[in-house]
Amino acid sequence: MNSRKLQESIADDANLSLEKVDKIMETMVNVMLDQLKEGTSVSFQGFGAVEVRKKEQRLSVNPLTKKRTIILPKQVLVFRTGNTYKDKIKDLPRNEE
């Protein structure tokens, strides 16, 4: 599902205009980004949490060439699933291809 379909679904379910839902989602994303930039994790009860983690500089080795490369430190977004949704997802049928 892309963001437009999500907005349409929320608008239908909540009986709101698409413009209001668009503004709410834009505001929500901006507030979340501000919190993450400040180092605060953002969590939704039962759904999960998003946080920024720092990855330290490390040494990597290309398995084919054996060439060593230094990977510079960086910050990454990490999502941790909440137990409520984790339990609901584990009961879904698997998509085996």
Side-chain angles (χ1 to χ4, degrees), residues 49-85:
V50 180
E51 65 184 9
V52 176
R53 286 201 188 146
K54 294 178 183 174
K55 296 193 103 182
E56 300 297 325
Q57 177 176 305
R58 62 191 193 279
L59 182 64
S60 175
V61 179
N62 183 322
L64 296 176
T65 65
K66 306 297 184 213
K67 181 179 178 185
R68 294 173 179 239
T69 306
I70 293 177
I71 299 175
L72 298 175
K74 62 182 174 180
Q75 293 182 330
V76 295
L77 280 178
V78 177
F79 176 74
R80 290 175 296 142
T81 308
N83 289 333
T84 302
Y85 283 88

